[in-house]
Amino acid sequence: MPKTLNIIRDEHRSIAAILHGMEYLVDRIRARKAKIDPRVFRAMIYYLDTFSERMHHPKEDRFLFSALRKRGGEAAAAVAGLEQEHAAGGDALRRLEQCLVRYEEGGDREFPAFAEAVARFVREYREHMHKEESVVFPMAERLLSARDWQAIDRAFEENRDPLAGDRDTRDFEKLFDRIVNLAPPPIGVGPEA
Ligand SMILES: [Fe+2]
C-alpha cells in the first residue's frame, strides 16, 4: 500500500480511539450515573480540532483528493462528497462543544442532548472514515500512477502539518497523553469515577 494511504490509515486509528473513548465515557455516565471529569471531553474535542480538522483533513484534501479530482468522473464525484464532509466538520465539532458546555453548566437535564450529539458525531465520523478507506483508497490505488504516488508521498512527508502551525507529532502525542491521564480506566489511567 502507498505510504500516504498507510499514514492516513494510522491517523484514522488515532481518531477512532478518541471516538471510541468519547462514546464509552458517555455510555458509562448513562449506565452508572458516573461522574466523568468534563475536561476529558474538552481535551478530546481539542484533539479532534487540532489533529483532525487542522492537520489530517487539509492534508487529505490538498494532496490526495486533489490528485483524484483531476481524474474526473467517478473519482471527482466521490472526492467532492468527502470534501463537503470535511468542510462541514468544523461546524459539527462546534455543535458538539456547545452541547458539552450546556451539559457542564446545566447538569443532568442537559445530558441526553449531549449524549445524542456524541452518538451522532461518532456515527458520522466513522462513516466518513469508512468511505475514505473503502471507496477512495481502492480508487486511488487503481487510478493513480507510480509517479503520482511519488509526488503525493513526498508532499505528505514534507507537509505533515499544513495548517497546524508549528505543531509536530510530539505535540499530538502530548495531547493524546493528556486524554489518557484524564480518562478513567479502561480508556485511560485517570481517577476512577
Ligand atoms: Fe480521513
Side-chain angles (χ1 to χ4, degrees):
M1 183 182 274
K3 200 184 275 177
T4 292
L5 298 186
N6 270 316
I7 294 173
I8 293 178
R9 207 179 42 187
D10 282 350
E11 291 180 358
H12 282 179
R13 285 197 190 124
S14 304
I15 295 166
I18 298 293
L19 298 178
H20 169 72
M22 218 182 240
E23 190 178 49
Y24 179 87
L25 295 177
V26 164
D27 278 350
R28 220 164 89 154
I29 296 172
R30 188 191 289 115
R32 299 197 219 157
K33 299 268 177 257
K35 288 261 175 287
I36 302 288
D37 185 343
R39 283 179 306 172
V40 70
F41 292 117
R42 292 198 163 274
M44 285 169 163
I45 288 174
Y46 185 56
Y47 183 87
L48 291 169
D49 177 45
T50 52
F51 185 76
S52 192
E53 290 303 311
R54 291 193 255 170
M55 192 273 285
H56 174 80
H57 290 167
K59 225 167 41 173
E60 288 174 331
D61 285 339
R62 198 175 296 184
F63 306 127
L64 179 62
F65 292 0
S66 64
L68 278 170
R69 203 183 312 115
K70 288 184 198 140
R71 294 289 179 278
E74 51 159 4
V79 157
L82 290 165
E83 282 171 336
Q84 261 172 21
E85 290 176 9
H86 283 177
D91 279 347
L93 205 54
R94 274 188 289 279
R95 274 199 304 274
L96 185 64
E97 192 184 9
Q98 187 181 43
C99 289
L100 173 60
V101 172
R102 288 176 178 163
Y103 171 48
E104 280 182 276
E105 296 302 321
D108 287 352
R109 65 182 170 169
E110 298 282 4
F111 176 71
F114 173 61
E116 172 55 35
V118 167
R120 179 179 162 190
F121 184 86
V122 168
R123 187 180 61 241
E124 290 177 351
Y125 221 116
R126 282 187 184 137
E127 282 168 9
H128 174 78
M129 291 193 293
H130 180 70
K131 250 186 270 173
E132 287 176 338
E133 292 192 21
S134 65
V135 179
V136 170
F137 278 26
M139 200 179 261
E141 287 195 278
R142 203 172 66 239
L143 295 174
L144 300 176
S145 66
R147 184 187 279 213
D148 290 327
W149 283 117
Q150 257 175 16
I152 296 168
D153 286 346
R154 199 170 49 240
F156 244 70
E157 295 234 284
E158 284 170 4
N159 295 272
R160 285 192 76 86
D161 313 347
L163 294 185
D166 55 2
R167 284 188 182 281
D168 62 25
T169 316
R170 274 167 314 187
D171 292 310
F172 294 124
E173 280 166 7
K174 269 191 234 155
L175 258 177
F176 205 91
D177 285 349
R178 179 170 153 71
I179 292 167
V180 169
N181 285 320
L182 282 168
I187 298 299
V189 295
E192 268 286 3

